[in-house]
Amino acid sequence: MELLLYTVIKNRWVFKDTHPKLNESDSDEGDDDDDVLLSLLRTDDHPKVRHYVKCVVLKYNPTDFRAHFRISRQSVEEVMQCLGTKDYSSVGRPALPLLDSVLLMIWTISNQESFRSIADRFGIGKGHAHRIFLLMCQKVHKKSHLYIKWPKGAKAQETVTEFSTLRGENSFPNVFGCVDGTHIPIPGPLADNSYYNRKGFHSVLLQGICNAKQEFINVYCGWPGSVHDSKMWQNSKVYKKLEEGANAMLLPGCYLLGDTAYPIKPYMMVPFKDNGTLTLRQRRFNAKLSSTRVVIEQAYGRLKSQFRRLKYLPMLRIQQIPYVITTACILHNIGVKDDPEYCGNIDEEEGDNNIEHYDQEIEESGLDLCGVRLRNQILSQMKF
């Protein structure tokens, strides 16, 4: 009986006829088979998806495009204009068209998907895809000053006005922005336990300040998850500028809203600490403050639901993590500004129903007396 042998080399089936007579009578064919086997052993070519962007993405309707990439085509075009016209590549690899590079970056941030799958989708190698992703995040990060901007002049007044009408008559007065921190889960460096937070997982911190539209006007990220929000706040540039002179940063009489993890200051209004003895007016003050300050938690919820890689960022190179987080915040701001449907309804199963918000209260000893007096003054003027 004729014996057929199938040899698997690099995921390919290779057929060899081992019939004795055939092998004895025609040694040249056997040599040819050996040459085929050797050539297969030497090749590094792997089948990939070809022309995904051209043949698939460009044919998406606006709804499907937004569902896959989390922002609109208009927002993608804005990112491309920001980066210029250059095609991007990594060392020793062919250049990838700018559109493909931008879509690869956005797809990666928008989905919890391995680089093996991402590389296959965009028709390149896994290492090439990873390098392009980090390179694009670094390029976008350098443009952060164009998209994450502290309001000044007329824009500052507009920001305060929007907060004053955010909750109608229940709006907290004279708010300039809302600040809070959130945890971005990571695998965690084995040699550094500082990234292991008090909730039992490794993370880096993101501190954000947003306006009434849930746009970030300031972000600061990269600190280990075990660090208290107040310590990160006191090491941020915006804190140091406010300490040097709040009038240079805020409109007169205005302030930021924070939770009890932040120290009360004339430029930072926080709730009364609930030690069980709060008066009815103080509880109502806290409720009104929280109803306005919740916009920063909503901003984080939308950020993580749209750019789902932030729900668990599988990166071991800690120094690269701030580039990715800041890029997601920039894409968030672009979406808020350019796309009316970006802030529309999110499918319930896609929403972030477990916002990582930790209320780490600070001790009230040594409170800023000017801040305390301002809070009492606001309380006395409020109508409930």
Side-chain angles (χ1 to χ4, degrees), residues 185-292:
I186 62 172
L190 297 178
D192 190 349
N193 288 329
S194 66
Y195 289 88
Y196 192 75
N197 64 45
R198 69 187 186 92
K199 289 294 182 178
F201 60 90
H202 291 87
S203 65
V204 295
L205 285 169
L206 165 62
Q207 174 188 284
I209 305 174
C210 77
N211 60 21
K213 295 178 180 177
Q214 301 177 24
E215 290 177 297
F216 291 105
I217 60 176
N218 181 266
V219 296
Y220 181 46
C221 59
W223 278 64
S226 64
V227 174
H228 194 282
D229 281 353
S230 63
K231 182 176 180 181
M232 186 178 181
W233 165 250
Q234 291 169 4
N235 281 273
S236 64
K237 290 183 178 179
V238 67
Y239 167 82
K240 294 174 182 177
K241 290 181 179 179
L242 288 168
E243 283 289 295
E244 291 171 359
N247 289 336
M249 296 285 290
L250 307 174
L251 295 180
C254 294
Y255 35 76
L256 304 176
L257 294 186
D259 60 20
T260 52
Y262 295 90
I264 188 169
K265 295 279 186 176
Y267 56 77
M268 174 74 77
M269 197 50 48
V270 302
F272 290 93
K273 184 176 180 179
D274 190 357
N275 52 14
T277 60
L278 294 183
T279 66
L280 178 61
R281 289 187 62 84
Q282 287 174 332
R283 291 198 299 271
R284 288 178 175 175
F285 173 96
N286 286 358
K288 180 173 284 193
L289 186 150
S290 296
S291 70
T292 298

Side-chain angles (χ1 to χ4, degrees), residues 75-197:
S75 297
V76 173
E77 290 171 1
E78 183 167 346
V79 175
M80 293 177 62
Q81 292 174 2
C82 169
L83 295 174
T85 58
K86 179 182 177 181
D87 293 341
Y88 289 92
S89 180
S90 56
V91 177
R93 299 293 180 179
L96 195 65
L98 176 61
L99 175 60
D100 294 48
S101 299
V102 170
L103 290 176
L104 185 151
M105 173 195 68
I106 296 173
W107 178 273
T108 304
I109 293 180
S110 301
N111 296 278
Q112 285 285 353
E113 189 173 9
S114 69
F115 273 99
R116 175 176 52 81
S117 299
I118 294 168
D120 184 66
R121 179 181 297 274
F122 286 88
I124 59 178
K126 182 172 68 173
H128 192 190
H130 186 259
R131 287 187 288 270
I132 287 291
F133 170 67
L134 291 179
L135 176 62
M136 298 305 295
C137 287
Q138 291 170 9
K139 297 290 184 182
V140 173
H141 180 271
K142 290 181 179 179
K143 304 292 184 178
S144 60
H145 62 282
L146 300 176
Y147 298 101
I148 302 176
K149 298 185 288 187
W150 194 264
K152 296 181 179 179
K155 187 66 176 178
Q157 185 59 60
E158 179 184 339
T159 299
V160 176
T161 301
E162 288 171 348
F163 270 115
S164 67
T165 58
L166 182 65
R167 301 288 182 253
E169 294 182 356
N170 200 42
S171 299
F172 205 88
N174 302 324
V175 178
F176 194 89
C178 298
V179 61
D180 199 7
T182 191
H183 289 255
I184 308 297
I186 62 172
L190 297 178
D192 190 349
N193 288 329
S194 66
Y195 289 88
Y196 192 75
N197 64 45

Side-chain angles (χ1 to χ4, degrees), residues 172-174 253 255 264 266 269 272 281-282 285 369-384:
F172 205 88
N174 302 324
Y255 35 76
I264 188 169
M269 197 50 48
F272 290 93
R281 289 187 62 84
Q282 287 174 332
F285 173 96
L369 293 181
C370 292
V372 171
R373 282 196 292 267
L374 176 60
R375 182 169 63 182
N376 290 334
Q377 179 183 343
I378 297 171
L379 175 63
S380 65
Q381 295 174 350
M382 277 188 172
K383 296 179 181 180
F384 300 110

